Amino acid sequence: MTRRTDWADRAHPQADGTVGGAYADAGPVAPFGAGPPDDGGAAPDGGTRRGGRTSGAGGPRGRRRGRTAGAAEDGGTADSSRAGEEEPPRDPVEQARAICLRLLTGTPRTRKQLADALRKREIPDEAAEEVLSRFEEVGLIDDGAFADAWVESRHHGRGLARRALARELRTKGVDAPLIDAAVSRLDAEREEETARELVDRKLRATRGLDRDKRLRRLAGMLARKGYSEGMALRVVRQALEEEGEETEFLDGGEY
């Protein structure tokens, strides 16, 4: 009597995803975990149901082969991960260069700002110094140009006076000679003209207040922007007089 050969003994998944042997014409191997066939008799890949088992990758050997292949893939990924973990750390100089270039993208920064950023990221001082000095040599760091641009921008945009601008530049680590050179471009005449424009913008909002209160409020606004007390009082009194206010006996007081 001829021994009945089970389908699993004759079905061999090939590298191209097809089944060899007696089921070579059955088509691609069904994915691992495919559910039972809906027609009650046909196997997922076109084979026939025999002895309670179906042909295709859903069979026991197909599952084992699928698990073996998956384990091999997982092993390769794990090996790659371990290989990545074993790579030596990046050179600190390269790290410092990448950090500085990223921070300089879109906005200039002072040397001190970049040095503080590198220190915060625990870049060794030697590597930081090497990169910062090189960036200065090629013009990527220029504290003098930064100070000039800062004065121009903050004076036009916020109406800040020389004293306030110098204070801001000191907090950013710009050296005193560079600060003096930058703020000296803003002469007293231009500074007073800006102060008048600031007062004109705020003057209407103070109408209805008594004269002393208007004086203190407007002069205080100029003082916070770095204008001297003498200039602030002079500009505010002139603006009030133009509105018809009597300012001869006004006492500036504290603001």
Side-chain angles (χ1 to χ4, degrees), residues 144-162 165-166 168-169 179 181-187 190 194:
F146 177 93
D148 292 342
W150 186 267
V151 168
E152 189 71 16
S153 173
R154 298 286 283 176
H155 180 73
H156 279 297
R158 298 289 303 278
L160 299 185
R162 288 175 290 185
L165 293 167
E168 288 185 341
L169 289 172
I179 294 175
V183 299
S184 66
R185 299 174 182 272
L186 183 61
D187 57 38
R190 182 177 172 186
T194 302

Side-chain angles (χ1 to χ4, degrees), residues 171-182:
T171 64
K172 296 184 178 302
V174 180
D175 292 337
L178 297 178
I179 294 175
D180 293 340

Side-chain angles (χ1 to χ4, degrees), residues 20 61 162 193 196-197 235 240:
R61 292 196 179 184
R162 288 175 290 185
E193 181 180 349
R196 291 181 185 277
E197 293 174 356
V235 169
L240 293 177

